[in-house]
Amino acid sequence: MFQALEFSQGPATVEVRPVGIPAPFLLTTAVLTGPNLGGREPHVHPEGMIMWPSRGSVVVLVEGALRTLAVGQGIWVPSFTPHTMEVDASSTGCCTYFTSDVAPDWPSVGTVQLGAAFRELLLHLAESPMQTDQRLRAQTVVIELLPEATSYVETVPVPRDERLAPLVRRVLNDPADDRGVEAWAWQLSLSVRTIARIFAAEVGMTFSHWRTMVRMAAAARMLADDVPVGTVAGRVGYATTSAFSAAFRRAMGSKPSDWRP
């Protein structure tokens, strides 16, 4: 699925698709069932949005960063940010759009954890008829709950060069994979210098630094979901909790415990 999705167009060349949230409403949620109703063509919206699955999983590509989202996970997409979503036949994807007056103050693309009660409230608003004043009150509650119901982590960019697709897919799906750049060079039939050059040009960091940032972003999401620190450490490739905690503090500027609910 990774190689089937391409994203080579910049913001100036993609289609603008206004959602048009009518006044006085504050948000709206579009519910998409598979297969592929999200569309593969990059496009932008004037509204900021959170993309998330209510059933199964969805694949999103935003500014070159590929993510497979499971239930409880979402991605924040600021206004006029190119994106695509792919929904398979067994899944349901949702896009919650916000007017500029109430959109979260998150400046860049990032992943979010969405609590079960928050997701159910959004689906209730999307699927249930109600009077204008009742809907507006419910939407106001959503806006008030948003900072408490979500946990935002800035998304790590990924290289777009197709030669690195197996590497990118593996590290994103399994941050604990500890193969070094030399092992990847052999597996991909590339030179170490070529891999280094691609990472420097496309994400502005070394492979090792990039993998660490992927690990820390994944760890932050798990910590926000109340996964124990020791479990998180193992899932992102650290043999001990102390080694993970030290690396987390260096990368994130805070302790792992600070990210737990």
Side-chain angles (χ1 to χ4, degrees):
M1 185 172 290
F2 181 93
Q3 293 178 332
L5 290 171
E6 297 181 357
F7 198 100
S8 59
Q9 296 164 289
T13 61
V14 297
E15 178 186 0
V16 178
R17 301 179 185 176
V19 174
I21 303 171
F25 299 117
L26 308 175
L27 59 90
T28 189
T29 298
V31 180
L32 307 173
T33 56
N36 299 331
L37 289 187
R40 294 183 179 223
E41 292 300 319
H43 60 278
V44 302
H45 299 287
E47 303 83 4
M49 62 186 292
I50 295 176
M51 305 168 74
W52 55 282
S54 64
R55 179 172 62 98
S57 62
V58 298
V59 176
V60 299
L61 192 63
V62 183
E63 287 192 328
L66 180 78
R67 290 290 181 271
T68 300
L69 304 175
V71 173
Q73 300 174 329
I75 189 162
W76 165 249
V77 183
S79 59
F80 294 104
T81 301
H83 61 274
T84 67
M85 174 192 279
E86 183 167 300
V87 185
D88 64 32
S90 63
S91 301
T92 301
C94 300
C95 299
T96 299
Y97 305 90
F98 300 86
T99 64
S100 58
D101 292 336
V102 300
D105 187 22
W106 297 329
S108 58
V109 171
T111 54
V112 295
Q113 297 289 329
L114 301 176
F118 190 72
R119 299 195 307 269
E120 289 301 321
L121 181 54
L122 289 176
L123 289 174
H124 177 70
L125 281 168
E127 298 170 355
S128 302
M130 58 185 72
Q131 296 295 321
T132 296
D133 58 344
Q134 182 183 8
R135 181 175 297 277
L136 186 57
R137 288 196 302 270
Q139 290 183 351
T140 302
V141 171
V142 168
I143 300 303
E144 293 175 348
L145 289 176
L146 188 59
E148 299 178 2
T150 64
S151 178
Y152 166 81
V153 183
E154 188 169 346
T155 298
V156 180
V158 298
R160 305 184 189 187
D161 194 305
E162 285 296 321
R163 291 173 292 178
L164 298 189
L167 178 158
V168 170
R169 181 170 60 242
R170 177 64 178 177
V171 175
L172 291 178
N173 290 336
D174 182 16
D177 189 299
D178 62 355
R179 277 174 286 186
V181 67
E182 293 83 5
W184 277 112
W186 180 84
Q187 182 168 337
L188 299 175
S189 300
L190 299 171
S191 69
V192 171
R193 181 175 296 180
T194 296
I195 293 178
R197 184 168 59 248
I198 294 172
F199 270 95
E202 298 197 1
V203 299
M205 62 186 83
T206 65
F207 165 71
S208 177
H209 185 191
W210 174 79
R211 183 175 60 185
T212 296
M213 297 310 297
V214 170
R215 288 175 169 179
M216 295 304 107
R221 292 192 294 271
M222 286 187 278
L223 291 167
D225 206 29
D226 209 20
V227 178
V229 175
T231 302
V232 173
R235 290 181 181 176
V236 297
Y238 289 86
T240 66
T241 301
S242 59
F244 163 70
S245 297
F248 191 90
R249 284 196 300 269
R250 287 194 300 270
M252 308 296 284
S254 57
K255 298 178 295 183
S257 58
D258 295 337
W259 288 77
R260 301 194 63 188

